[in-house]
Short mmCIF file of all heavy atoms in Angstrom, two decimals:
data_model
loop_
_atom_site.label_atom_id
_atom_site.label_comp_id
_atom_site.label_asym_id
_atom_site.label_seq_id
_atom_site.Cartn_x
_atom_site.Cartn_y
_atom_site.Cartn_z
N PRO V 74 -29.21 -16.48 -9.51
CA PRO V 74 -28.86 -16.55 -10.95
C PRO V 74 -29.85 -15.80 -11.81
O PRO V 74 -29.49 -15.53 -12.96
CB PRO V 74 -28.79 -18.00 -11.26
CG PRO V 74 -29.69 -18.69 -10.14
CD PRO V 74 -29.53 -17.78 -8.88
N SER V 75 -31.03 -15.56 -11.34
CA SER V 75 -32.04 -14.99 -12.21
C SER V 75 -31.71 -13.47 -12.60
O SER V 75 -32.31 -12.96 -13.52
CB SER V 75 -33.41 -14.99 -11.49
OG SER V 75 -33.35 -14.28 -10.28
N VAL V 76 -30.83 -12.88 -11.85
CA VAL V 76 -30.55 -11.48 -12.12
C VAL V 76 -29.58 -11.26 -13.26
O VAL V 76 -29.35 -10.12 -13.79
CB VAL V 76 -29.93 -10.77 -10.93
CG1 VAL V 76 -30.90 -10.84 -9.73
CG2 VAL V 76 -28.57 -11.27 -10.50
N PHE V 77 -29.01 -12.43 -13.84
CA PHE V 77 -27.98 -12.27 -14.86
C PHE V 77 -28.61 -12.49 -16.21
O PHE V 77 -29.60 -13.17 -16.37
CB PHE V 77 -26.88 -13.27 -14.64
CG PHE V 77 -26.07 -13.08 -13.36
CD1 PHE V 77 -26.32 -13.89 -12.27
CD2 PHE V 77 -25.14 -12.08 -13.27
CE1 PHE V 77 -25.61 -13.67 -11.11
CE2 PHE V 77 -24.46 -11.87 -12.08
CZ PHE V 77 -24.69 -12.67 -11.00
N PRO V 78 -28.04 -11.90 -17.27
CA PRO V 78 -26.88 -10.93 -17.32
C PRO V 78 -27.41 -9.57 -16.71
O PRO V 78 -28.56 -9.18 -16.75
CB PRO V 78 -26.60 -10.76 -18.72
CG PRO V 78 -27.75 -11.13 -19.46
CD PRO V 78 -28.57 -12.18 -18.67
N TRP V 79 -26.41 -8.92 -16.14
CA TRP V 79 -26.72 -7.63 -15.40
C TRP V 79 -25.85 -6.50 -15.99
O TRP V 79 -24.70 -6.69 -16.31
CB TRP V 79 -26.48 -7.80 -13.96
CG TRP V 79 -26.80 -6.54 -13.10
CD1 TRP V 79 -27.96 -6.25 -12.54
CD2 TRP V 79 -25.84 -5.51 -12.80
NE1 TRP V 79 -27.85 -5.02 -11.89
CE2 TRP V 79 -26.54 -4.54 -12.02
CE3 TRP V 79 -24.51 -5.25 -13.06
CZ2 TRP V 79 -25.96 -3.43 -11.46
CZ3 TRP V 79 -23.93 -4.08 -12.59
CH2 TRP V 79 -24.63 -3.18 -11.86
N SER V 80 -26.47 -5.28 -16.06
CA SER V 80 -25.75 -4.12 -16.49
C SER V 80 -26.09 -2.97 -15.59
O SER V 80 -27.24 -2.85 -15.18
CB SER V 80 -26.03 -3.77 -18.00
OG SER V 80 -25.60 -4.75 -18.87
N GLY V 81 -25.15 -2.10 -15.33
CA GLY V 81 -25.42 -0.97 -14.52
C GLY V 81 -24.35 0.14 -14.65
O GLY V 81 -23.41 0.00 -15.44
N LEU V 82 -24.49 1.19 -13.91
CA LEU V 82 -23.58 2.30 -14.00
C LEU V 82 -23.00 2.68 -12.66
O LEU V 82 -23.60 2.56 -11.68
CB LEU V 82 -24.39 3.58 -14.53
CG LEU V 82 -25.02 3.43 -15.95
CD1 LEU V 82 -25.83 4.65 -16.25
CD2 LEU V 82 -23.99 3.16 -17.00
N VAL V 83 -21.74 3.15 -12.71
CA VAL V 83 -21.01 3.66 -11.57
C VAL V 83 -20.67 5.13 -11.90
O VAL V 83 -20.15 5.39 -12.88
CB VAL V 83 -19.72 2.86 -11.18
CG1 VAL V 83 -18.99 3.50 -10.11
CG2 VAL V 83 -20.06 1.43 -10.93
N TYR V 84 -21.06 6.02 -10.91
CA TYR V 84 -20.82 7.41 -11.13
C TYR V 84 -19.55 7.84 -10.28
O TYR V 84 -19.51 7.57 -9.07
CB TYR V 84 -21.98 8.24 -10.72
CG TYR V 84 -23.28 7.97 -11.50
CD1 TYR V 84 -24.13 6.94 -11.11
CD2 TYR V 84 -23.58 8.60 -12.66
CE1 TYR V 84 -25.25 6.64 -11.79
CE2 TYR V 84 -24.75 8.35 -13.40
CZ TYR V 84 -25.59 7.29 -12.95
OH TYR V 84 -26.72 7.02 -13.72
N ILE V 85 -18.69 8.53 -10.93
CA ILE V 85 -17.51 9.09 -10.25
C ILE V 85 -17.56 10.57 -10.19
O ILE V 85 -17.67 11.27 -11.20
CB ILE V 85 -16.18 8.68 -11.01
CG1 ILE V 85 -16.08 7.12 -11.16
CG2 ILE V 85 -14.94 9.24 -10.30
CD1 ILE V 85 -14.86 6.68 -11.94
N HIS V 86 -17.65 11.12 -8.96
CA HIS V 86 -17.75 12.52 -8.71
C HIS V 86 -16.41 13.04 -8.30
O HIS V 86 -15.86 12.63 -7.31
CB HIS V 86 -18.80 12.86 -7.70
CG HIS V 86 -20.15 12.18 -7.92
ND1 HIS V 86 -21.10 12.69 -8.76
CD2 HIS V 86 -20.64 10.89 -7.50
CE1 HIS V 86 -22.14 11.91 -8.80
NE2 HIS V 86 -21.88 10.81 -8.03
N CYS V 87 -15.84 13.93 -9.02
CA CYS V 87 -14.43 14.50 -8.79
C CYS V 87 -14.30 15.84 -9.36
O CYS V 87 -14.59 16.05 -10.55
CB CYS V 87 -13.44 13.51 -9.24
SG CYS V 87 -11.71 13.97 -8.88
N ASP V 88 -13.74 16.78 -8.58
CA ASP V 88 -13.41 18.15 -9.08
C ASP V 88 -14.59 18.81 -9.71
O ASP V 88 -14.48 19.35 -10.83
CB ASP V 88 -12.23 18.00 -9.99
CG ASP V 88 -11.50 19.31 -10.10
OD1 ASP V 88 -11.61 20.20 -9.19
OD2 ASP V 88 -10.85 19.62 -11.16
N ASN V 89 -15.75 18.74 -9.12
CA ASN V 89 -17.00 19.37 -9.74
C ASN V 89 -17.41 18.80 -11.01
O ASN V 89 -18.03 19.57 -11.88
CB ASN V 89 -16.85 20.91 -9.76
CG ASN V 89 -16.63 21.52 -8.38
OD1 ASN V 89 -17.29 21.11 -7.40
ND2 ASN V 89 -15.71 22.46 -8.35
N ALA V 90 -16.98 17.61 -11.35
CA ALA V 90 -17.39 16.91 -12.57
C ALA V 90 -17.83 15.50 -12.24
O ALA V 90 -17.56 14.94 -11.16
CB ALA V 90 -16.21 16.97 -13.55
N GLN V 91 -18.46 14.89 -13.24
CA GLN V 91 -18.97 13.52 -13.10
C GLN V 91 -18.62 12.70 -14.29
O GLN V 91 -18.74 13.14 -15.44
CB GLN V 91 -20.48 13.55 -12.87
CG GLN V 91 -21.13 12.15 -12.78
CD GLN V 91 -22.61 12.20 -12.57
OE1 GLN V 91 -23.09 12.51 -11.48
NE2 GLN V 91 -23.40 11.93 -13.56
N GLU V 92 -18.21 11.53 -14.08
CA GLU V 92 -17.92 10.55 -15.17
C GLU V 92 -18.73 9.30 -14.91
O GLU V 92 -19.02 8.94 -13.75
CB GLU V 92 -16.43 10.23 -15.29
CG GLU V 92 -15.65 11.38 -15.81
CD GLU V 92 -14.18 11.01 -16.08
OE1 GLU V 92 -13.95 9.75 -16.19
OE2 GLU V 92 -13.33 11.88 -16.30
N ILE V 93 -19.11 8.57 -15.99
CA ILE V 93 -19.91 7.35 -15.84
C ILE V 93 -19.13 6.14 -16.34
O ILE V 93 -18.49 6.22 -17.39
CB ILE V 93 -21.19 7.50 -16.66
CG1 ILE V 93 -22.04 8.70 -16.15
CG2 ILE V 93 -22.01 6.24 -16.61
CD1 ILE V 93 -23.26 8.97 -16.94
#
Side-chain angles (χ1 to χ4, degrees):
S75 60
V76 302
F77 298 103
W79 181 90
S80 296
L82 301 175
V83 175
Y84 299 90
I85 302 177
H86 310 276
C87 182
D88 200 26
N89 298 319
Q91 175 179 286
E92 291 188 14
I93 299 175

